[in-house]
Amino acid sequence: MRKNQFDYIAKIYDKLAYLVFGNKITYIQQRTFYRLPKEKKVLIIGGGTGKIIPYIEEQLQPNSLTFLDYSSTMIQLAQQVPYKGDIHYINDSYTSLFKQKETYDIIITNFFLDVLPSKALDTFVNDVNKLLNDNGYWVVSDFRIDPHPRKKLLHTSLHQLMVLFFKITANLENTQLPNYIQVIDATKKYKKRAIKYAYFDMMFTALYSKL
Ligand SMILES: C[S@@+](CC[C@H](N)C(=O)[O-])C[C@H]1O[C@@H](n2cnc3c(N)ncnc32)[C@H](O)[C@@H]1O
């Protein structure tokens, strides 16, 4: 199986995520949307089944929406999500974005960084800057491990279970859960505007603007 191949799991992905995290998994992804400007050019990378699309439509009212995912089954599911305007779907790897000249006002990467192994992660967090227009925003949601001993145990155990599950079902390449905020801040390319937590602080969403 190709690495990071979510095709086989796509149809049950949302149900499984809901089973483990309840509605927090959707709630966290839109926690900073109210701070974003409306009617902008929006890009979603690794958007999965597209369950975030209605929230984007309602809260961001994009002028243009591009939805990219590597999995063709995920793209097919996302294409069934009702949306009033046109969505430009791209069934390809995020790496294809760096070979074109399009830039965006708002980029959303929700639970996408955690599929990237360390080197790819470093490259991505540095290079996503090139896809952002001046005054552009980057919304990042993902998992984290809280330093508090009890939370750390819960977060580490749950993360290891998830890695094991996605290794079997999606041939997930990455097994690590770095501190994404530290990794992004170290680039010195973005200004952190807001950060919110959910699910016993195991999930975060951060809003960055381009520096
Ligand atoms: C953990 S899922 C998250 C899906 C969605 N954002 C959500 O929060 O429900 C990761 C998604 O990234 C996609 N993905 C994996 N590797 C990718 C790549 N190289 N380029 C683009 N998308 C990728 C997978 O197909 C999957 O839909």
Side-chain angles (χ1 to χ4, degrees):
M1 198 199 303
R2 195 178 70 177
K3 292 213 187 318
N4 302 327
Q5 174 55 274
F6 280 71
D7 277 357
Y8 302 110
I9 194 78
K11 285 187 179 147
I12 56 163
Y13 181 89
D14 286 345
K15 287 191 190 77
L16 274 175
Y18 183 80
L19 205 68
V20 181
F21 300 110
N23 56 17
K24 295 292 180 207
I25 192 91
T26 312
Y27 163 84
I28 191 71
Q29 300 190 23
Q30 27 159 339
R31 279 289 275 119
T32 61
F33 281 5
Y34 73 97
R35 301 211 26 185
L36 288 167
K38 293 188 172 57
E39 298 179 9
K40 295 292 179 188
K41 187 174 174 187
V42 178
L43 166 69
I44 309 170
I45 304 177
T49 63
K51 67 176 182 297
I52 196 70
I53 291 172
Y55 301 98
I56 289 175
E57 179 174 33
E58 191 191 327
Q59 295 175 60
L60 305 185
Q61 297 162 20
N63 276 339
S64 118
L65 180 57
T66 300
F67 185 101
L68 179 141
D69 201 284
Y70 197 35
S71 152
S72 56
T73 313
M74 288 291 198
I75 289 283
Q76 280 161 24
L77 292 169
Q79 283 171 335
Q80 289 163 28
V81 176
Y83 184 78
K84 287 202 186 77
D86 287 332
I87 300 182
H88 178 217
Y89 298 96
I90 306 176
N91 182 199
D92 207 338
S93 172
Y94 70 92
T95 49
S96 65
L97 294 164
F98 301 106
K99 295 173 193 150
Q100 47 152 39
K101 291 213 167 76
E102 288 293 316
T103 53
Y104 304 87
D105 301 312
I106 298 172
I107 297 179
I108 298 172
T109 57
N110 287 336
F111 300 97
F112 167 71
L113 295 187
D114 58 17
V115 303
L116 302 178
S118 170
K119 211 168 154 211
L121 173 72
D122 282 342
T123 308
F124 179 81
V125 297
N126 272 287
D127 288 358
V128 76
N129 189 274
K130 295 177 193 155
L131 301 176
L132 275 176
N133 290 331
D134 290 345
N135 304 315
Y137 290 93
W138 180 20
V139 176
V140 191
S141 311
D142 226 298
F143 295 109
R144 65 187 284 277
I145 292 180
D146 196 275
H148 182 281
R150 244 177 288 159
K151 286 184 188 167
K152 189 174 177 177
L153 183 66
L154 170 75
H155 298 173
T156 310
S157 311
L158 195 47
H159 176 248
Q160 282 176 2
L161 274 176
M162 286 193 292
V163 166
L164 182 66
F165 178 78
F166 285 112
K167 266 227 156 288
I168 295 166
T169 57
N171 196 14
L172 184 71
E173 195 177 7
N174 178 43
T175 57
Q176 305 302 309
L177 186 57
N179 183 329
Y180 292 116
I181 298 296
Q182 265 177 20
V183 175
I184 296 166
D185 289 350
T187 65
K188 299 192 189 326
K189 290 183 175 174
Y190 314 91
K191 180 176 164 60
K192 197 175 337 79
R193 299 279 174 166
I195 182 154
K196 311 270 181 194
Y197 302 96
Y199 198 76
F200 311 106
D201 298 334
M202 191 180 171
M203 294 170 185
F204 73 90
T205 190
L207 174 63
Y208 285 94
S209 59
K210 181 173 171 155
L211 271 181

